[in-house]
Amino acid sequence: MPDRAGRCDPECGFLAPHPGARGSRADIARRIDDSARLRSTGPLGDLSDFPDWFAEHARRAYTKVERVGLDELDGWVTDPATGDLRHHTGRFFTVHGVEVEHPGAPVPRWTQPIILQPEIGILGLLVSRIDGVLHALVQAKVEPGNANGLQVSPTVQATRSNYTRVHRGRAVPYVEHFLDAHRRPGVLADVRQSEQGSWFHRKRNRNMVVELPEPVEAREGHRWLTIGQIHELLGREDVVNMDMRTVLSCLPFTGPGTDADDDPDPFRRALRRSGDPAADSLHTMEEILGWITDRRAGEDLTVGRIPLDALTGWTRDKDRIRHDDGAFFDVIGVRVEAGGREVRHWYQPMIAPAGRGVIAFLVRRIEGVLHVLVHARVEPGFTDVVELGPTVQCVPESYAGLPDGSLPRFLDTVLDADPGAVRYDTVLSEEGGRFHRALNRYLVVEAPDGQDTASPAHRWVTLHQLSELLRHSHYVNVQARSLIACLHSLYHAG
């Protein structure tokens, strides 16, 4: 045992459990729940030494990031015909322009920069039982856009260019467990999921959880933790990264046998019942799927690629590309020196948001079962027009120059909530490989009694229904997946 440091397309989602290695889905959910109960301690010890372990690794794994002009990005070229920014190899990613037409929206037409990254990366989490308790192998990883440097990340977090070593860097540790994974039993989750549809054009990553029959040795910068210990860290500001959160959301966390009725706290009882497929829900799964299809079919959205030089309302100078109102985001250039990475130094463009975002779920107990108010969001980078997002998802500063009525519905409800109604409130960051200090305040807030939430673009759903949708691609956006992981972290909090 290590020491404490130490048959379908992925579009279809989870495979049927392999009886010899994993048991039924209910068995898997029960083992995940048992691991989630162990927040303060576990077979390998508690988290008391975590700050020292994290700080020690931070001395070796670091990034020094310097802002540079877009014309100073070594290895990147500006296409003379279009102004698009691309890597000289044609790999990694490109920044180009899109023109968006959305009749009936508060802003019916706009142009913007967007990132095109066609290759599909792997976000992979290894799990294994240690003394009968499920543990996950996490890594302490640094990205150039991280506000606080090191973060808790999945076992593997790599683009195809990384793990095929296009950059001629070091091999990605543990990636072999996620390649051809379906040749052997142990795959608990495997589904391609979208990323930020306002900043990426049809970006997807493969979210995987693979259970090993025996734990592997934790290499430098890696550590085995219980699910509960990861949940404990998820309550700390900007410690658990976006990639870890999205993979956690894809775990088959919900199911029968999680014993909601033994919890003395009414909110947690309702929360855990929300994950039980036998619990009542306001809408059936067929009704939810029909509503999503109706929203997708009813949205008149056109997204066309245009040259970066053809953007209107945006200006490029030697330092950046920015919106003329100072809103939304900038495209900046950075020079990176890194320790503890496959590559030691590089240049790249990044997206820098104009402010701190607010990302929130309103929740409500309906007949003793917690329901989540999801929003059928339209974003230009989505593959299928609409995905279910949080109740509120915005950067409030970016709405100052927009027409009246543009502010998201329920934003005031979230920001003005009684402190006793706020069940989760932590600042977390988005993916630090492409986004520079993209910090958002993530909240779970109980909706006030009697508040009118009727809306064609919103529906009340249970956690079990969201878990079912997460077995497939393009239904739940990355911000909502983060909030689902945050809700799971409340199962045994307190």
Side-chain angles (χ1 to χ4, degrees):
M1 184 176 72
D3 63 20
R4 63 190 302 161
R7 271 157 291 244
C8 74
D9 188 298
E11 295 282 3
C12 299
F14 299 113
L15 299 184
H18 184 282
R22 302 188 298 269
S24 69
R25 190 165 183 203
D27 291 336
I28 296 168
R30 191 174 292 108
R31 285 193 279 120
I32 292 169
D33 189 67
D34 288 344
S35 180
R37 292 173 185 268
L38 298 178
R39 298 173 66 101
S40 59
T41 190
L44 299 182
D46 58 24
L47 291 175
S48 60
D49 71 327
F50 180 85
D52 291 338
W53 175 79
F54 214 49
E56 174 60 28
H57 191 63
R59 284 189 277 272
R60 295 188 295 272
Y62 61 88
T63 57
K64 296 179 180 178
V65 180
E66 175 189 359
R67 288 276 297 267
V68 299
L70 295 176
D71 293 334
E72 301 174 57
L73 295 176
D74 187 34
W76 293 79
V77 296
T78 297
D79 189 299
T82 64
D84 294 355
L85 278 168
R86 58 179 174 81
H87 197 260
H88 72 95
T89 62
R91 303 295 292 270
F92 303 108
F93 63 94
T94 300
V95 182
H96 65 78
V98 290
E99 182 177 47
V100 185
E101 294 186 9
H102 189 197
V107 180
R109 181 189 175 279
W110 72 91
T111 65
Q112 66 167 87
I114 203 163
I115 294 174
L116 175 65
Q117 185 173 327
E119 63 180 30
I120 296 174
I122 292 176
L123 308 178
L125 186 66
L126 289 179
V127 299
S128 188
R129 278 176 274 191
I130 298 174
D131 287 353
V133 176
L134 198 69
H135 284 64
L137 184 62
V138 305
Q139 67 165 316
K141 189 174 179 67
V142 64
E143 295 286 1
N146 292 354
N148 294 320
L150 214 59
Q151 292 181 318
V152 173
S153 310
T155 319
V156 169
Q157 177 184 313
T159 65
R160 182 174 178 82
S161 293
N162 290 146
Y163 68 78
T164 58
R165 304 175 70 181
V166 168
H167 46 57
R168 297 186 296 276
R170 294 180 300 179
V172 175
Y174 305 108
V175 72
E176 66 275 9
H177 296 287
F178 301 96
L179 303 176
D180 296 322
H182 295 288
R183 292 179 178 270
R184 50 195 178 274
V187 178
L188 302 188
D190 185 6
V191 61
R192 286 183 285 192
Q193 297 287 11
S194 66
E195 301 210 350
Q196 286 80 359
S198 295
W199 296 340
F200 279 123
H201 186 66
R202 300 190 175 187
K203 171 73 161 57
R204 295 167 295 170
N205 270 325
R206 191 174 179 182
N207 290 235
M208 303 182 70
V209 182
V210 174
E211 183 174 7
L212 300 177
E214 297 291 338
V216 295
E217 181 181 357
R219 303 185 191 186
E220 181 180 330
H222 292 76
R223 178 169 176 152
W224 288 100
L225 297 175
T226 67
I227 303 298
Q229 288 170 330
I230 300 171
H231 284 167
E232 186 71 22
L233 296 174
L234 193 49
R236 303 181 188 183
E237 182 170 323
D238 199 25
V239 171
V240 177
N241 81 351
M242 184 200 82
D243 294 329
M244 184 62 150
R245 301 192 304 265
T246 180
V247 174
L248 283 175
S249 76
C250 294
L251 270 173
F253 203 98
T254 59
T258 53
D259 300 323
D261 291 336
D262 68 357
D263 197 310
D265 182 84
F267 175 82
R268 284 200 304 264
R269 283 202 305 273
L271 170 63
R272 291 165 65 187
R273 285 178 186 142
S274 187
D276 188 342
D280 291 334
S281 57
L282 189 61
H283 304 285
T284 68
M285 199 65 195
E286 289 74 15
E287 290 169 340
I288 295 298
L289 289 169
W291 169 66
I292 294 170
T293 301
D294 283 345
R295 298 301 302 179
R296 287 173 170 172
E299 292 291 350
D300 184 9
L301 182 75
T302 303
V303 181
R305 179 169 178 169
I306 61 173
L308 205 54
D309 282 349
L311 298 180
T312 57
W314 295 78
T315 300
R316 175 171 175 170
D317 58 29
K318 64 182 181 65
D319 294 322
R320 58 184 173 171
I321 300 169
R322 66 183 297 273
H323 193 266
D324 293 345
D325 293 335
F328 309 118
F329 60 88
D330 294 347
V331 180
I332 64 172
V334 297
R335 179 183 183 274
V336 184
E337 291 185 13
R341 297 270 307 201
E342 295 85 5
V343 180
R344 295 289 184 176
H345 57 85
W346 69 90
Y347 293 77
Q348 69 172 88
M350 300 193 84
I351 281 181
R356 179 174 291 190
V358 176
I359 295 176
F361 270 155
L362 284 181
V363 298
R364 175 172 284 169
R365 291 174 242 178
I366 301 174
E367 300 297 327
V369 179
L370 197 75
H371 284 62
V372 173
L373 188 62
V374 294
H375 178 209
R377 285 185 60 85
V378 177
E379 295 184 14
F382 286 158
T383 297
D384 204 0
V385 184
V386 166
E387 294 190 14
L388 300 187
T391 320
V392 174
Q393 176 187 320
C394 70
V395 177
E397 292 88 340
S398 289
Y399 287 80
L402 296 184
D404 291 343
S406 298
L407 271 175
R409 190 179 176 192
F410 306 115
L411 177 61
D412 288 344
T413 303
V414 168
L415 296 182
D416 298 338
D418 183 277
V422 179
R423 295 295 180 165
Y424 182 92
D425 185 359
T426 303
V427 173
L428 302 170
S429 64
E430 305 310 304
E431 195 265 325
R434 300 291 176 264
F435 311 137
H436 187 260
R437 302 195 172 188
L439 293 169
N440 290 306
R441 183 183 176 193
Y442 278 83
L443 298 110
V444 174
V445 177
E446 289 202 81
D449 291 337
Q451 180 177 13
D452 179 18
T453 59
S455 160
H458 293 80
R459 283 291 186 277
W460 289 104
V461 300
T462 66
L463 271 180
H464 174 70
Q465 289 173 325
L466 287 171
S467 184
E468 286 297 304
L469 291 172
L470 280 169
R471 298 174 70 178
H472 309 277
S473 304
H474 314 311
Y475 277 106
V476 182
N477 80 356
V478 67
Q479 291 89 348
R481 297 198 303 272
S482 280
L483 279 171
I484 290 167
C486 296
L487 275 167
H488 287 162
S489 77
L490 301 179
Y491 265 44
H492 302 293

